[in-house]
Amino acid sequence: GAGVSQSPSNKVTEKGKDVELRCDPISGHTALYWYRQSLGQGLEFLIYFQGNSAPDKSGLPSDRFSAERTGGSVSTLTIQRTQQEDSAVYLCASSSDRGRAFFGQGTRLTVV
Amino acid sequence: AQKITQTQPGMFVQEKEAVTLDCTYDTSDPSYGLFWYKQPSSGEMIFLIYQGSYDQQNATEGRYSLNFQKARKSANLVISASQLGDSAMYFCAMRENSGYALNFGKGTSLLVTP
């Protein structure tokens, strides 16, 4: 696609449920990043993937969070047993090698 | 340790004036890239400008310029002739060439007043 695509754009879920957030990066981009942004706050790094290398998971806040990237393209961020503090906008970005990162529009997650 | 520091949580500037948004960074990697992004209230992240650590000249993109002082490890964004549409959050980011992590500062909220 022309840009980074994230789905869904909005997700409301009940506390305790699992959610999956999807990111479709720009074709050919080797690096893919996930960030979390709480209301009025900065970008909190979660995880990044670079080519076939092992992902850097150092930013994942708990073991309820996991992510995978299949075939070096689409990525899914999974949050298990969601909590209210997981409510935030989840942003995905991709870049070609060390170029500028292009961001998706984000998924706004609300846990009720 | 915080790699990117933006010390101004909020800034005001009058329309048509210039404004400088501060960013300092911390790295021992001799090769790195610095980025500025704008995030308006719509939430999208808009790339503004890039500076490589070995670039000899300060980067410029239209009304945006980057005041890069390598010895001081600062990469301040200068916006000239501010417009009302410049009101947004501004984030500074760095990527060290030894890795791929892209680290962001906490951002500065800029409000341009008529």
Side-chain angles (χ1 to χ4, degrees), chain B residues 20-21 37 39 43 51 61 71 84 91:
Chain B
T20 297
L21 306 184
Y37 284 83
Q39 188 179 43
Q51 179 85 44
E61 289 285 349
L84 295 178
F91 293 97

Side-chain angles (χ1 to χ4, degrees), chain A residues 5-52:
Chain A
S5 178
Q6 291 188 246
S7 60
S9 53
N10 279 285
K11 176 73 175 179
V12 180
T13 189
E14 291 182 352
K15 180 181 171 181
K17 300 275 191 184
D18 298 352
V19 294
E20 285 190 351
L21 312 181
R22 177 188 168 104
C23 174
D24 203 337
I26 292 173
S27 178
H29 278 190
T30 55
L32 187 148
Y33 305 84
W34 282 99
Y35 294 90
R36 179 169 70 175
Q37 187 175 31
S38 300
L39 189 61
Q41 301 298 308
L43 276 70
E44 176 189 3
F45 166 73
L46 297 177
I47 186 170
Y48 81 80
F49 299 86
Q50 169 58 33
N52 295 321

Side-chain angles (χ1 to χ4, degrees), chain A residues 30-31 33 35 37 40-43 45 48-50 56 91 95 97-105, chain B residues 35 37 39 42-47 50 89 91 95-107:
Chain A
T30 55
Y33 305 84
Y35 294 90
Q37 187 175 31
Q41 301 298 308
L43 276 70
F45 166 73
Y48 81 80
F49 299 86
Q50 169 58 33
D56 179 347
L91 290 164
S95 70
D97 197 33
R98 293 186 176 87
R100 62 178 253 211
F102 293 77
F103 282 81
Q105 294 289 353
Chain B
F35 304 79
Y37 284 83
Q39 188 179 43
S42 59
E44 61 186 311
M45 291 286 285
I46 302 167
F47 167 77
Y50 166 81
M89 284 290 290
F91 293 97
R95 181 192 286 122
E96 295 160 318
N97 275 14
S98 57
Y100 290 87
L102 184 59
N103 296 296
F104 282 82
K106 294 187 182 299

